[in-house]
Amino acid sequence: MILGIESTAHTFGVAVADKGKVLSNIRDMYKTSSGGIIPTESAAHHKKLAPEIYQKALEQANISESKITAIAFSNAPGLAPCLLAGLEFARKKAKELKVPIVPVNHCIAHLEIGQSIGAKDPVLLYASGANTQIIAYAAGKYRVFGETLDLGVGNFIDKVARHFGFGFPGGPEIEKHAKNGKYIELPYSIKGMDVSFSGMQTKLQQIYDKGEKVENLAYSLQETAFSMLVEAAERALAHTGKKELVLGGGVACNARLQEMCQIMCKERLQKTKYFCPERSLLVDNAAMIAYTGEIMLKAGIKSNPEDVDIKPRERTDQVNVTWR
Ligand code: AMP
Ligand code: MG
């Protein structure tokens, strides 16, 4: 059985996986009532809650710690203080239990967890707070086929939401207010396969300051930003010839983004299967880390606790994928 630890940003999670089955998945998210994430505060949250979340994960899986044969943790990419909190806890437990550590790239884990619901070789639309990437496997690596040139779609939504007076996370509030809006044209910015959101952010804030209704702005934000993501994802499908789309990241919890992706998959001439993991596997979670760690371990990837390190800026395509 393999234990997974997630700590890249606002969420600390611990999970247990065994033979491709997730046996437990416990998480707690650092939240603020106003303003964004303060990395050192988020790290303090992780350190404080780690022992309790660890115990709960063992209890939910109904196992004792002696059953754990390896510890996977997300070592990249993310906020350094948060990653360090995860590393320290993973090291401590690995030493106590005398088991090896498997370092897992968080973005790749979002793709690999798609296997648990049947995706074999998908294009991943990874739409989260800090990350917005379209990722697929090609020639030995997970390659980035398209990505944001400025902020992650979730950070963009959170910034706009904060301007409207909502706390963090702003995505659910925007989704709620988008229900009864009407469309206002916004900058649609897609360059080749890449997207950018800062122009739309400025525009939304300007129109809001002139007195436009939040409902209309929220609706138009969703329609415009999500169309950009779906367009880039479809082009990646066309380019790679792959026939599966997997969603990942907290923004993928949005029902309208899910609907748009579903429609795109259905309307493609090249039949494309749509896979959306359940919410607990879309947001930052340790289950996908344990699940991916198990696959990597099977291929012989493991380290001594002292030899692993965090890689806050590691890119998806820097990881040598020897397990496929
Ligand atoms: P992650 O970084 O993957 O954990 O995702 C967090 C991001 O997802 C934050 O920016 C949230 O605002 C965003 N988010 C969560 N739920 C929704 C939603 N229903 N619609 C849009 N964005 C959301
Ligand atoms: Mg994530």
Side-chain angles (χ1 to χ4, degrees):
M1 287 183 188
I2 183 154
L3 189 92
I5 297 172
E6 160 60 32
S7 77
T8 53
H10 44 64
T11 294
F12 188 84
V14 180
V16 178
D18 185 34
K19 300 184 197 76
K21 290 259 176 305
V22 174
L23 302 185
S24 66
N25 187 17
I26 307 287
R27 57 192 288 275
D28 191 276
M29 186 177 173
Y30 157 84
K31 289 192 177 117
T32 69
S33 52
S34 67
I37 304 176
I38 300 164
T40 49
E41 279 188 13
S42 184
H45 161 270
H46 298 350
K47 282 182 197 166
K48 181 161 164 250
L49 287 175
E52 181 187 329
I53 293 178
Y54 174 76
Q55 279 309 326
K56 280 188 187 162
L58 294 180
E59 277 165 30
Q60 192 180 61
N62 200 17
I63 62 158
S64 67
E65 37 173 41
S66 62
K67 287 277 191 310
I68 296 166
T69 52
I71 294 185
F73 88 107
S74 52
N75 76 322
L79 302 169
C82 301
L83 289 166
L84 275 177
L87 170 65
E88 278 166 21
F89 192 72
R91 255 194 199 143
K92 180 166 158 265
K93 285 294 162 194
K95 284 184 185 166
E96 276 173 24
L97 303 173
K98 300 190 174 59
V99 297
I101 286 193
V102 184
V104 175
N105 177 292
H106 176 98
C107 307
I108 289 178
H110 273 291
L111 189 144
E112 297 291 10
I113 196 67
Q115 285 185 55
S116 72
I117 52 169
K120 293 188 180 71
D121 184 19
V123 166
L124 168 73
L125 172 56
Y126 178 28
S128 81
N131 301 296
T132 298
Q133 294 188 329
I134 292 148
I135 302 170
Y137 181 79
K141 293 204 167 153
Y142 285 108
R143 316 247 169 210
V144 178
F145 286 90
E147 66 188 315
T148 179
L149 298 171
D150 43 37
L151 357 78
V153 62
N155 285 357
F156 152 70
I157 293 173
D158 292 335
K159 281 187 182 186
V160 173
R162 199 185 313 162
H163 192 83
F164 295 170
F166 303 129
F168 172 82
E173 287 297 329
I174 293 293
E175 180 167 18
K176 243 187 268 165
H177 286 81
K179 294 256 153 63
N180 300 309
K182 72 172 184 10
Y183 189 71
I184 298 165
E185 195 162 329
L186 294 172
Y188 184 97
S189 180
I190 178 156
K191 294 167 190 164
M193 299 287 280
D194 296 330
V195 294
S196 92
F197 296 106
S198 53
M200 201 189 318
Q201 183 197 333
T202 307
K203 185 81 184 180
L204 280 161
Q205 294 176 349
Q206 282 170 352
I207 314 177
Y208 173 82
D209 291 343
K210 284 187 191 144
E212 184 56 65
K213 277 170 69 182
V214 168
E215 284 73 16
N216 296 342
L217 296 172
Y219 174 76
S220 308
L221 177 159
Q222 288 197 173
E223 294 305 303
T224 313
F226 296 166
S227 298
M228 285 159 46
L229 297 178
V230 173
E231 180 184 336
E234 176 169 26
R235 278 219 230 117
L237 285 162
H239 176 72
T240 57
K242 296 192 193 288
K243 299 184 183 76
E244 298 170 337
L245 179 73
V246 166
L247 300 191
V251 181
C253 296
N254 186 290
R256 179 58 181 146
L257 178 58
Q258 293 178 3
E259 181 187 38
M260 286 165 92
C261 289
Q262 242 171 323
I263 293 170
M264 180 268 280
C265 288
K266 217 169 107 191
E267 288 185 348
R268 295 198 78 227
L269 293 176
Q270 173 82 267
K271 270 209 165 43
T272 305
K273 281 193 192 158
Y274 165 84
F275 294 95
C276 184
E278 62 181 72
R279 191 188 162 83
S280 63
L281 300 177
L282 277 176
V283 296
D284 283 357
N285 68 88
M288 67 180 187
I289 305 300
Y291 185 91
T292 306
E294 190 177 39
I295 297 171
M296 292 169 68
L297 184 69
K298 248 193 240 162
I301 301 167
K302 58 182 175 183
S303 300
N304 292 320
E306 285 306 331
D307 296 340
V308 283
D309 207 352
I310 59 165
K311 295 181 179 172
R313 293 183 173 278
E314 179 175 71
R315 283 183 54 85
T316 306
D317 47 17
Q318 285 176 320
V319 179
N320 255 327
V321 182
T322 54
W323 62 89
R324 276 188 73 117

